[in-house]
Amino acid sequence: MVETLDELARKMLAPAFIAFAVVVFASSMILIFYTAPRHGNTNILVYTAICSVLSSLSVMAIKGLGIAAKQLFAGVSVFLHPLTWVLMISLVTIVVTQLNYLNKALDVFNISVVTPIYYVMFATGVIISSTILFNEWKTLDTEDILGCICGFMTIIGGILLLSAFKDLDITIHNLPVAMYRQNSTSNGHIATAKLLKSLENNADVSDDEDTMGSLKSTASGEDATDNGFQEIEMITYK
């Protein structure tokens, strides 16, 4: 556990964290100066990726300032330590940049879409950064690691569900009413289908009756014609 700024400085100078910081800085510069002007207004991942990538370092800066505040209350002159100023300047710069691109994302895209994507990417970046800087996973057992992963996935699933169904007005009180309406609608559709089928059957029967009537009329006309011809023939014969 890191207790002083000197210990934090030694961890930040580790090759793994330096490589991570370089990758974060390079990827954020590419996203800001190349990708954002071209695809920022059409792809939601651009602005949210900028905020999330930078947030992985901002949380580490906040942790460092928390250690500095703890030492300050203990009577240590932390403002004489250069790391304090580095953390403060880095935090202000990163937070201002995050707010700028987060506002751009909210202006262009729907908040219900931006929120879950940003939260997932933010949490992922913070976990990776914290793991590299503080080596927190080394002190955890396999069960604890699995528990952290399951908890993280549960939170992500909950955020996604809340964002997906936030526009639906469904509560415990109106849930039976909604179910009744759904059942009534289903029953109404079934009754309508039965009525249409009955009308079609009646129409078919009527068509059949009309057809039979026409055939009978035609047959009667033919019989009458035949009888007429027979009478004419008998009169002529006489």
Side-chain angles (χ1 to χ4, degrees):
M1 186 175 179
V2 180
E3 297 289 343
T4 62
L5 289 176
D6 292 331
E7 295 179 2
L8 180 62
R10 286 194 295 269
K11 287 185 174 295
M12 293 180 67
L13 293 175
F17 187 77
I18 292 176
F20 174 76
V22 170
V23 171
V24 168
F25 180 78
S27 60
S28 61
M29 291 298 103
I30 293 173
L31 289 172
I32 291 173
F33 293 106
Y34 180 79
T35 309
R38 292 170 175 80
H39 308 288
N41 293 328
T42 57
N43 193 336
I44 191 174
L45 296 177
V46 177
Y47 290 147
T48 53
I50 294 172
C51 299
S52 303
V53 168
L54 294 176
S55 65
S56 61
L57 295 180
S58 64
V59 173
M60 299 303 102
I62 292 173
K63 285 187 176 182
L65 291 176
I67 295 173
K70 183 178 179 181
Q71 285 189 287
L72 179 63
F73 291 133
V76 180
S77 299
V78 295
F79 292 105
L80 299 178
H81 202 292
L83 183 59
T84 303
W85 298 101
V86 171
L87 294 176
M88 291 177 64
I89 295 172
S90 300
L91 180 61
V92 172
T93 305
I94 292 173
V95 169
V96 171
T97 306
Q98 281 183 276
L99 291 176
N100 180 29
Y101 285 98
L102 183 59
N103 287 328
K104 288 184 178 181
L106 294 175
D107 290 338
V108 177
F109 304 101
N110 192 353
I111 187 173
S112 62
V113 181
V114 174
T115 300
I117 295 176
Y118 175 65
Y119 178 82
V120 172
M121 298 177 70
F122 169 81
T124 303
V126 171
I127 291 174
I128 294 173
S129 178
S130 177
T131 302
I132 294 174
L133 180 61
F134 296 106
N135 295 325
E136 294 176 346
W137 297 102
K138 290 184 178 180
T139 60
L140 298 178
D141 298 331
T142 304
E143 295 179 356
D144 296 331
I145 294 174
L146 293 177
C148 291
I149 295 174
C150 291
F152 178 64
M153 298 303 295
T154 301
I155 294 173
I156 291 175
I159 292 293
L160 294 176
L161 290 176
L162 289 174
S163 301
F165 296 100
K166 73 181 187 66
D167 294 330
L168 297 179
D169 188 14
I170 297 177
T171 61
I172 296 177
H173 300 288
N174 63 10
L175 184 59
V177 177
M179 294 177 64
Y180 174 76
R181 289 177 179 175
Q182 184 177 3
N183 292 331
S184 299
T185 304
S186 300
N187 294 331
H189 289 310
I190 294 173
T192 303
K194 290 182 178 179
L195 179 60
L196 291 174
K197 187 175 181 180
S198 176
L199 292 175
E200 290 177 356
N201 293 331
N202 292 332
D204 293 338
V205 172
S206 299
D207 292 338
D208 293 339
E209 291 178 352
D210 293 338
T211 303
M212 292 298 294
S214 299
L215 293 175
K216 289 180 179 179
S217 298
T218 304
S220 300
E222 292 177 353
D223 293 338
T225 303
D226 293 337
N227 294 329
F229 282 126
Q230 290 177 359
E231 291 178 357
I232 292 171
E233 288 178 353
M234 291 177 65
I235 293 170
T236 303
Y237 177 76
K238 290 178 180 180

